[in-house]
């Protein structure tokens, strides 16, 4: 609350207090008028009682009618002198004297609440209101005990109370008016004084307050022009001194801030350049590490494939000659048996010892198995060479289906059932694709990374599922290839694994980010794959994942890199 409001409220309280005191005085004077009217009524009753008792004592031989006649004369005289309507009743409320002579001797009828009867019984004066056809609005009356000199109540005197009250109020009217006027004038003066004083005090304070607000808004040239010699003037002087010091400090601070801002800008630029350099260094380091690993792996695979290929080719090539030689020897033995069916006993014993007939039949099976084994080894070697692509140009048109099949052949041991984990079924839905211009070795690396992650996800899901759930939702990896248009192809690899958590999706392609346990992944697979697809092949690598149901990685690359480069 403002100081002016407080001052006005204070003086308003004083004015209210003055008015309240005046109102109390007016009320007190009104109560005094009532008291005087009551006292006058009681004095009238006492006088009537005194006169009546005095006359009874002087003329004891007087009859009752004469006493009542004198009492009636007193009532009429009092009515004529003071214009008071009154009547006197005995203990039985029989009217003894009345200004209306016709009512003398009758019983009082207008005592509806027995106010007169109560006054006669306990001797206490009472006021009440009488309603009748003549006075529909009611008339105020007062009942006063009518007593003897000995204090015995012999009846009651009933007077009209309103004229008594009005007469008393008329006497106190001047005092009441004077008190009211004085209270009103005092209240008005208090309000005027409060307004003037509050204005005289609050205006300088408002100026100071506005100056402070201007100062907080940065208007440091604000000054206060208050020339009073009181405390507010001293406060204004102190404020002006503070504003001068603050303005001087602000200029100094602005200069220091400008210098600091320049230093911060230079440092931020340096930090930005350093951060960018660090990111490029980390990225280059990760690429070098991965490239070196893949290069070493490719050389190792190519070397192993070459070393295995030579003896396998030697064995596989000689199997044809061995088969011919064995066939000739068996023909020779059979010819010998035909012309000499009964050889000597020593030859017969040796034939039985070596099981000649079984040997002739089983030897062909052994040769077929050896031929099949060497063919399988040659196929594996060809897949290893195809995966490493070390014997081909770095950039050429290839059949990506061969790359996918080679990768699956290398991962064949991961797809087989082991322990409580079921076999992972691979579904190939290959479209009719042309040869794709790409970096075959790097593209095979992408297939390897995505398929390894898919196998890990399916195995993790199987560890959390019951046998019935695995039966209802078989472990499966689906590979789909298709043409998007005449320039782009799409390879989609979907699994039935656990899906990718929502918290990991924003960092999935960041270097070294992994959701696998320690020692199960470096977090480089998807990051390198993303770089190979987007930077090396100008393609897209996206994914769609539903938690608890699986993930699908979608690779889109152009058919001809030269077309994309030209665009």
């Amino acid at each position: 609350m403002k100081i002016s409001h407080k001052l006005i409220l204070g003086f308003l309280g004083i004015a209210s207090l003055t008015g309240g005191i005046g109102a109390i005085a007016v009320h007190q004077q009104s109560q005094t008028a009532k008291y005087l009217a009551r006292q006058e009524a009681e004095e009238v009753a006492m006088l009537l009682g005194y006169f009546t008792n005095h006359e009874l004592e002087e003329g004891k031989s007087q009859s009752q009618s004469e006493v009542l006649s004198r009492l009636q004369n007193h009532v009429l005289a009092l009515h004529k002198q003071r214009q008071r309507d009154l009547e006197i009743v005995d203990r039985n409320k029989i009217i003894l004297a009345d200004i209306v002579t016709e009512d003398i001797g009758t019983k009082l009828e207008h005592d509806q609440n027995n106010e007169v009867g109560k006054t006669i019984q306990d001797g206490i004066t009472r006021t009440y209101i009488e309603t009748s056809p003549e006075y529909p609005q009611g008339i105020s009356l007062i009942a006063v005990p009518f007593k003897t000199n000995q204090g015995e109540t012999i009846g009651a005197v009933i007077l009209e109370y309103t004229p008594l009250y009005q007469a008393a109020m008329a006497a106190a009217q001047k005092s009441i008016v004077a008190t009211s006027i004085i209270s009103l004038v005092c209240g008005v003066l208090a309000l005027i004084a409060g307004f003037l004083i509050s204005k005289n005090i609050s205006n300088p304070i408002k100026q100071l307050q506005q100056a402070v607000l201007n100062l907080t808004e940065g208007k440091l040239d604000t000054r206060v022009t208050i020339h009073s010699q009181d405390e507010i003037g001293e406060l204004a002087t102190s404020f002006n001194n503070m504003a001068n010091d603050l303005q001087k400090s602000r200029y100094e601070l602005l200069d220091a801030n400008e210098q600091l801002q320049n230093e911060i800008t230079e440092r931020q630029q340096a930090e930005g350049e350093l951060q960018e350099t660090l990111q490029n260094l980390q990225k280059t380091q990760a690429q070098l590490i991965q490239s070196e690993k893949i290069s070493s792996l490719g050389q190792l695979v190519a070397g192993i494939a070459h070393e295995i290929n030579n003896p396998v080719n030697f064995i596989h090539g000689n199997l044809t000659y061995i088969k011919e030689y064995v066939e000739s020897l068996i023909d020779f033995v059979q010819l010998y048996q035909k012309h000499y069916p009964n050889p000597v006993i020593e030859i017969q014993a040796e034939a039985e010892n070596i099981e000649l007939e079984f040997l002739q039949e089983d030897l062909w099976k052994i040769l077929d198995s050896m031929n099949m084994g060497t063919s399988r080894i040659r196929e594996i070697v060809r897949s290893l060479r195809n995966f490493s692509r070390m014997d081909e140009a770095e950039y050429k048109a290839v059949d990506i289906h061969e790359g996918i099949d080679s990768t699956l052949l290398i991962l064949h041991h991961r797809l087989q059932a082991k322990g409580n984990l079921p076999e992972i079924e691979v579904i190939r839905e290959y479209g009719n694709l042309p040869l794709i211009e790409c970096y075959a070795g790097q593209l095979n690396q992408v297939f390897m990374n995505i398929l390894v992650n898919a196998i890990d996800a399916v195995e993790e899901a199987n560890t959390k599922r019951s046998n019935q759930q695995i039966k209802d939702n078989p472990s499966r990896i689906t590979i789909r290839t298709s043409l998007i248009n005449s320039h782009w192809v799409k390879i989609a690899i979907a699994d039935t694994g656990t899906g990718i958590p929502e918290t990991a999706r924003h960092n999935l392609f960041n270097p070294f980010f992994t959701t696998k346990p320690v020692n199960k992944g470096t977090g480089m697979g998807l990051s390198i794959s993303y770089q190979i697809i987007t930077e090396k092949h100008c393609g897209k690598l996206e994914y769609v994942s539903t938690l608890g149901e699986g993930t699908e990685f979608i690779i889109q690359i152009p058919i001809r890199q030269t077309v994309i480069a030209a665009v």
Side-chain angles (χ1 to χ4, degrees), residues 414-425 453-477 495-499 548-550:
R414 292 287 310 275
L415 299 171
Q416 295 176 339
K418 47 185 174 293
N420 296 328
L421 298 178
E423 179 184 0
I424 300 175
E425 180 184 4
N453 287 335
I455 293 172
D456 291 341
V458 172
E459 288 179 348
E460 181 182 356
N462 288 335
T463 59
K464 300 177 180 179
R465 295 173 181 168
S466 62
N467 293 333
Q468 184 62 39
Q469 289 175 332
I470 295 176
K471 184 177 180 181
D472 295 338
N473 187 17
S475 303
R476 184 179 294 123
I477 295 176
D495 61 64
T496 58
T498 56
E549 296 183 7

Side-chain angles (χ1 to χ4, degrees), residues 230-283:
D230 55 6
E231 290 82 356
I232 295 179
E234 295 177 359
L235 182 62
T237 303
S238 300
F239 174 82
N240 291 334
N241 294 333
M242 180 191 69
N244 291 330
D245 295 340
L246 187 60
Q247 190 172 24
K248 181 179 179 181
S249 300
R250 182 187 181 186
Y251 290 144
E252 296 175 354
L253 182 62
L254 287 175
D255 294 339
N257 187 40
E258 185 176 359
Q259 296 177 2
L260 181 61
Q261 189 67 31
N262 293 334
E263 293 178 1
I264 291 174
T265 302
E266 295 175 358
R267 180 171 294 181
Q268 287 178 345
Q269 291 177 352
E271 289 179 354
E273 295 174 357
L274 182 60
Q275 186 69 22
E276 184 178 358
T277 303
L278 180 60
Q279 290 178 353
N280 293 333
L281 180 61
Q282 290 179 341
K283 184 177 179 181

Side-chain angles (χ1 to χ4, degrees), residues 7 109 312 359 402 438 453 466 543:
L7 289 173
E109 296 179 354
V312 168
L359 188 148
E402 290 184 0
C438 63
N453 287 335
S466 62
Y543 67 93

Side-chain angles (χ1 to χ4, degrees), residues 116-172:
V116 177
K118 295 178 181 177
T119 298
I120 295 172
Q121 291 178 3
D122 54 20
I124 298 174
T125 303
R126 287 178 172 83
T127 58
Y128 63 97
I129 296 176
E130 173 194 352
T131 56
S132 64
E134 296 178 0
Y135 305 103
Q137 300 299 327
I139 182 172
S140 299
L141 300 175
I142 183 169
V144 183
F146 186 44
K147 300 181 179 180
T148 64
N149 292 336
Q150 290 77 25
E152 179 184 359
T153 302
I154 59 174
V157 179
I158 304 169
L159 291 87
E160 186 180 356
Y161 182 67
T162 302
L164 299 174
Y165 176 69
Q166 290 176 348
M169 284 296 293

Side-chain angles (χ1 to χ4, degrees), residues 304-320 370-382:
I304 293 174
H306 179 74
E307 293 299 328
I308 294 175
N309 192 48
N310 289 334
V312 168
N313 285 337
F314 175 78
I315 296 172
H316 187 75
N318 287 328
L319 281 177
T320 302
M370 292 176 64
N371 187 45
M372 185 181 300
T374 55
S375 298
R376 178 64 175 167
I377 294 173
R378 293 180 66 191
E379 182 181 353
I380 293 174
V381 170
R382 184 171 60 254

Side-chain angles (χ1 to χ4, degrees), residues 204-224 226 235-236 238-240 242-243 246:
I205 294 177
K206 285 182 179 178
Q207 293 181 21
L208 279 172
Q209 182 183 13
Q210 186 61 41
V212 171
L213 291 176
N214 293 339
L215 205 63
T216 58
E217 292 175 358
K219 301 176 182 178
L220 299 183
D221 56 348
T222 303
R223 298 296 182 271
V224 180
I226 297 176
L235 182 62
S238 300
F239 174 82
N240 291 334
M242 180 191 69
L246 187 60

